[in-house]
Amino acid sequence: MFVACFQNDSEQTQLELERLTRKQTAMVGFYEEFKAFNYLLAEEGRSSISQEEQYPCLDDRTEQTGFDRHYIYHPAWAARVIAARNPEHHVDISSTLHFATILSAFVKVEFFDFRKAPLTLSNLTSNEADLTQLPFRSDAIKSLSCMHVIEHIGLGRYGDPIDIDGDKKAARELSRVLAPDGDLLVVVPVGRSRIQFNAHRIYSHEQVIEMFPDLILVEHALIPDGEAEDGLIENPDSKLISSQSYGCGCYVFSKR
């Protein structure tokens, strides 16, 4: 046990030293370029930049433009689903604000969150709502989304009450308010089933389906672990989904 702990500490120390070395090298390059830029300004007779106005950005020189796969691909998937259905009105519950705000350029959107978002845009309203007690009558909403949200409910992360069944209550409420022949877009982390308190839950494919017993699965997609070189995988089988560590499952349910 002592040897294993010593090895782990040694590896961690080495990684930290490598990180510091990279940062020091980047800072040296930053100061060289800062001086060169000021020299060019002086040659042009323009005011130099003071040290107080330095704003080092040392982590952006990558071979490719980096992005969060979950939060780039899943709103893009959802936008395509909604565009194909072309609803007159859409209700979103707590998904990323980028989705609701951009969607509102084309569709009237009502956005609800546990904590009100002070948004001011045409075609968009923003209000508070508790996902475990939605302020809508049953069978009321034809086009509904709740993406990368359910997995957090009841874990206290955003100031909501601790509730071990918060996600299940949220799923029941979404099912209740969905109109017959309406569409519900749900996105959750998928893979090896577990709870990582107080961040989120990860679900198997079967667990996702079980949360919506009164609805029918229309289509689904997976943003897999790793680089996801092929982007979204359409309608993957349950074994592939459940083999992920922290994949992103995108589901369309309907009420018939």
Side-chain angles (χ1 to χ4, degrees):
M1 177 66 74
F2 176 79
V3 173
C5 290
F6 179 80
Q7 288 175 336
N8 288 337
D9 288 345
S10 179
E11 291 172 1
Q12 188 64 37
T13 300
Q14 182 61 35
L15 289 172
E16 184 65 18
L17 287 173
E18 291 175 0
R19 186 188 68 81
L20 289 173
T21 298
R22 288 195 298 270
K23 185 174 181 179
Q24 289 170 346
T25 301
M27 282 301 300
V28 169
F30 167 81
Y31 282 118
E32 289 177 350
E33 292 184 346
F34 177 72
K35 289 187 291 184
F37 195 83
N38 266 342
Y39 177 80
L40 292 173
L41 288 173
E43 281 194 326
E44 293 290 326
R46 296 161 64 178
S47 299
S48 63
I49 301 170
S50 67
Q51 290 190 1
E52 288 75 17
E53 293 299 327
Q54 291 178 354
Y55 198 127
C57 299
L58 306 178
D59 300 319
D60 297 330
R61 295 189 181 187
T62 56
E63 292 184 3
Q64 293 181 321
T65 298
F67 59 92
D68 185 316
R69 294 184 305 280
H70 282 218
Y71 280 89
I72 290 296
Y73 279 123
H74 92 250
W77 165 83
R80 285 159 172 75
V81 171
I82 292 173
R85 287 156 172 77
N86 193 29
E88 294 183 1
H89 170 249
H90 182 80
V91 175
D92 181 80
I93 313 293
S94 300
S95 304
T96 175
L97 293 177
H98 296 93
F99 174 70
T101 53
I102 293 173
L103 186 66
S104 69
F106 311 99
V107 179
K108 183 178 180 181
V109 177
E110 286 186 84
F111 175 81
F112 294 86
D113 194 278
F114 186 70
R115 307 157 302 169
K116 184 176 179 179
L119 293 167
T120 304
L121 283 171
S122 62
N123 229 26
L124 174 69
T125 60
S126 176
N127 291 288
E128 293 182 15
D130 181 345
L131 184 46
T132 64
Q133 299 178 34
L134 290 173
F136 311 117
R137 61 181 175 80
S138 299
D139 302 328
I141 302 173
K142 292 284 290 185
S143 185
L144 177 64
S145 58
C146 185
M147 303 186 297
H148 253 316
V149 178
I150 290 174
E151 68 268 21
H152 304 299
I153 306 301
L155 300 183
R157 177 172 174 177
Y158 298 105
D160 54 314
I162 296 296
D163 187 339
I164 60 173
D165 291 321
D167 56 340
K168 295 180 178 63
K169 292 176 181 177
R172 286 198 293 271
E173 276 293 273
L174 291 167
S175 299
R176 178 184 68 81
V177 303
L178 184 67
D181 294 322
D183 292 299
L184 166 64
L185 282 66
V186 172
V187 172
V188 292
V190 292
R192 180 172 58 84
S193 175
R194 61 201 189 277
I195 300 173
Q196 295 184 313
F197 189 84
N198 69 334
H200 47 240
R201 303 171 181 86
I202 297 100
Y203 304 92
S204 69
H205 177 68
E206 290 77 13
Q207 286 175 319
V208 178
I209 304 303
E210 288 168 2
M211 281 198 293
F212 299 94
D214 299 325
L215 303 184
I216 297 168
L217 178 62
V218 177
E219 61 180 278
H220 65 292
L222 171 69
I223 304 163
D225 293 338
E227 294 300 320
E229 294 180 357
D230 296 324
L232 290 156
I233 300 172
E234 300 288 345
N235 296 310
D237 63 39
S238 61
K239 289 183 178 179
L240 177 60
I241 294 172
S242 297
S243 70
Q244 307 298 307
S245 175
Y246 187 76
C248 183
C250 307
Y251 295 83
V252 179
F253 291 99
S254 186
K255 182 185 286 185
R256 302 302 186 202

